[in-house]
Amino acid sequence: MISFKCISVCTSVVAMLLCFVLIIHPDIFFMLFGIEKENAGIFIGRRTAMLFLGLSVLTWCSRNTAHSTARQAICLSIAISMLGLALLGAFEYLNGSAGTGIVLAIVTEVTFALLYFKIWLHYKDVVIGLNIKNA
Protein backbone atom coordinates (compact mmCIF):
# COMPACT_ATOMS: atom_id res chain seq x y z
CA MET A 1 0.00 0.00 0.00
CA ILE A 2 1.22 3.48 -0.81
CA SER A 3 2.27 5.39 2.29
CA PHE A 4 0.60 8.49 3.64
CA LYS A 5 3.91 10.29 3.27
CA CYS A 6 4.23 9.40 -0.42
CA ILE A 7 0.68 10.42 -1.33
CA SER A 8 1.00 13.61 0.71
CA VAL A 9 4.21 14.62 -1.06
CA CYS A 10 2.62 13.89 -4.46
CA THR A 11 -0.48 15.90 -3.53
CA SER A 12 1.65 18.76 -2.29
CA VAL A 13 3.70 18.92 -5.49
CA VAL A 14 0.64 18.72 -7.77
CA ALA A 15 -1.22 21.36 -5.75
CA MET A 16 1.80 23.69 -5.77
CA LEU A 17 2.18 23.30 -9.54
CA LEU A 18 -1.51 24.05 -10.03
CA CYS A 19 -1.17 27.12 -7.80
CA PHE A 20 1.74 28.49 -9.81
CA VAL A 21 0.10 27.80 -13.17
CA LEU A 22 -3.18 29.42 -12.09
CA ILE A 23 -1.33 32.52 -10.87
CA ILE A 24 1.27 32.88 -13.64
CA HIS A 25 -0.36 31.43 -16.76
CA PRO A 26 -4.07 30.57 -16.27
CA ASP A 27 -4.56 30.41 -20.06
CA ILE A 28 -3.28 26.82 -19.92
CA PHE A 29 -6.46 25.75 -18.13
CA PHE A 30 -8.74 27.52 -20.59
CA MET A 31 -6.98 25.76 -23.43
CA LEU A 32 -6.78 22.36 -21.67
CA PHE A 33 -10.43 22.33 -20.61
CA GLY A 34 -11.68 23.85 -23.85
CA ILE A 35 -13.42 26.79 -22.24
CA GLU A 36 -13.59 30.44 -23.21
CA LYS A 37 -11.18 32.84 -21.54
CA GLU A 38 -13.01 35.47 -19.52
CA ASN A 39 -12.05 37.88 -16.77
CA ALA A 40 -14.36 36.07 -14.34
CA GLY A 41 -12.55 32.80 -15.03
CA ILE A 42 -9.16 34.40 -14.41
CA PHE A 43 -10.46 35.96 -11.19
CA ILE A 44 -11.86 32.64 -9.90
CA GLY A 45 -8.74 30.80 -11.08
CA ARG A 46 -6.45 33.03 -9.04
CA ARG A 47 -8.61 32.63 -5.96
CA THR A 48 -8.57 28.87 -6.53
CA ALA A 49 -4.78 29.05 -6.71
CA MET A 50 -4.75 30.14 -3.06
CA LEU A 51 -6.82 27.08 -2.13
CA PHE A 52 -4.29 24.90 -3.92
CA LEU A 53 -1.51 26.69 -2.05
CA GLY A 54 -3.22 25.90 1.26
CA LEU A 55 -3.70 22.26 0.23
CA SER A 56 -0.05 22.06 -0.76
CA VAL A 57 1.12 23.43 2.59
CA LEU A 58 -1.27 21.17 4.53
CA THR A 59 -0.17 18.00 2.76
CA TRP A 60 3.53 18.90 2.89
CA CYS A 61 3.49 19.80 6.59
CA SER A 62 1.46 16.72 7.54
CA ARG A 63 3.45 14.22 5.46
CA ASN A 64 5.26 12.81 8.53
CA THR A 65 2.21 12.77 10.80
CA ALA A 66 1.71 9.51 12.67
CA HIS A 67 -1.63 7.69 12.68
CA SER A 68 -4.06 9.99 14.50
CA THR A 69 -7.51 11.47 14.39
CA ALA A 70 -6.07 14.57 12.72
CA ARG A 71 -4.41 12.52 9.98
CA GLN A 72 -7.61 10.56 9.43
CA ALA A 73 -9.49 13.87 9.09
CA ILE A 74 -6.95 15.06 6.51
CA CYS A 75 -7.32 11.83 4.52
CA LEU A 76 -11.11 11.90 4.57
CA SER A 77 -11.33 15.61 3.75
CA ILE A 78 -8.98 15.40 0.79
CA ALA A 79 -10.64 12.22 -0.49
CA ILE A 80 -14.09 13.80 -0.40
CA SER A 81 -12.84 17.02 -2.01
CA MET A 82 -11.09 15.13 -4.81
CA LEU A 83 -14.08 12.89 -5.42
CA GLY A 84 -16.33 15.95 -5.53
CA LEU A 85 -14.06 17.65 -8.05
CA ALA A 86 -13.98 14.51 -10.20
CA LEU A 87 -17.77 14.20 -10.17
CA LEU A 88 -18.17 17.87 -10.99
CA GLY A 89 -15.63 17.56 -13.81
CA ALA A 90 -17.45 14.54 -15.23
CA PHE A 91 -20.77 16.39 -15.04
CA GLU A 92 -19.32 19.44 -16.82
CA TYR A 93 -17.80 17.22 -19.51
CA LEU A 94 -21.06 15.33 -20.09
CA ASN A 95 -22.95 18.64 -20.05
CA GLY A 96 -20.66 19.96 -22.79
CA SER A 97 -19.21 22.74 -20.64
CA ALA A 98 -15.67 21.32 -20.67
CA GLY A 99 -13.57 19.66 -23.35
CA THR A 100 -11.74 16.36 -23.26
CA GLY A 101 -8.84 17.92 -21.33
CA ILE A 102 -10.95 17.67 -18.19
CA VAL A 103 -10.43 13.89 -18.31
CA LEU A 104 -6.83 14.41 -17.12
CA ALA A 105 -8.13 16.29 -14.08
CA ILE A 106 -10.82 13.68 -13.43
CA VAL A 107 -8.35 10.78 -13.54
CA THR A 108 -5.93 12.61 -11.23
CA GLU A 109 -8.70 13.54 -8.77
CA VAL A 110 -10.15 10.02 -8.70
CA THR A 111 -6.66 8.58 -8.14
CA PHE A 112 -5.98 10.89 -5.19
CA ALA A 113 -9.48 10.26 -3.79
CA LEU A 114 -9.05 6.49 -3.92
CA LEU A 115 -5.57 6.58 -2.38
CA TYR A 116 -6.66 8.82 0.50
CA PHE A 117 -9.83 6.74 1.05
CA LYS A 118 -7.70 3.59 1.11
CA ILE A 119 -5.40 5.04 3.78
CA TRP A 120 -8.39 6.32 5.76
CA LEU A 121 -10.11 2.92 5.67
CA HIS A 122 -6.92 1.01 6.49
CA TYR A 123 -6.29 2.99 9.68
CA LYS A 124 -9.92 3.67 10.63
CA ASP A 125 -10.01 1.08 13.44
CA VAL A 126 -6.57 2.05 14.72
CA VAL A 127 -7.65 5.64 15.34
CA ILE A 128 -10.98 4.64 16.84
CA GLY A 129 -9.09 2.36 19.23
CA LEU A 130 -6.77 5.23 20.20
CA ASN A 131 -9.72 7.48 21.00
CA ILE A 132 -11.36 4.88 23.26
CA LYS A 133 -8.15 4.26 25.22
CA ASN A 134 -7.47 7.97 25.70
CA ALA A 135 -11.04 8.91 26.66
Side-chain angles (χ1 to χ4, degrees), residues 15 17-27 29-30 33 35 38-53:
L17 288 172
L18 289 170
C19 173
F20 285 141
V21 171
L22 281 166
I23 291 291
I24 296 168
H25 198 35
D27 296 350
F29 287 97
F30 294 109
F33 297 153
I35 55 176
E38 296 181 15
N39 287 337
I42 293 170
F43 173 78
I44 296 298
R46 288 191 175 134
R47 293 185 57 81
T48 303
M50 293 302 102
L51 292 173
F52 281 122
L53 177 61

Side-chain angles (χ1 to χ4, degrees), residues 3 6 16 23 31 37 41 43 52-53 55 68 70-71 77-78 82 84 96 100 108 112-114 124-126 135:
S3 69
C6 182
M16 185 60 73
I23 291 291
M31 181 188 65
K37 180 180 174 182
F43 173 78
F52 281 122
L53 177 61
L55 180 62
S68 65
R71 192 175 101 165
S77 297
I78 294 173
M82 292 294 158
T100 56
T108 304
F112 279 127
L114 291 175
K124 186 176 174 189
D125 293 334
V126 173

Side-chain angles (χ1 to χ4, degrees), residues 2-17 55-65 74 78 112 115-116 119:
I2 191 167
S3 69
F4 178 77
K5 181 175 185 171
C6 182
I7 189 65
S8 293
V9 169
C10 290
T11 304
S12 182
V13 169
V14 169
M16 185 60 73
L17 288 172
L55 180 62
S56 179
V57 170
L58 173 69
T59 54
W60 181 260
C61 290
S62 66
R63 71 190 184 282
N64 293 318
T65 303
I74 290 168
I78 294 173
F112 279 127
L115 290 171
Y116 277 108
I119 292 169

Side-chain angles (χ1 to χ4, degrees), residues 87-99 102:
L87 290 172
L88 182 60
F91 174 78
E92 295 297 343
Y93 176 71
L94 293 173
N95 194 34
S97 301
I102 195 73

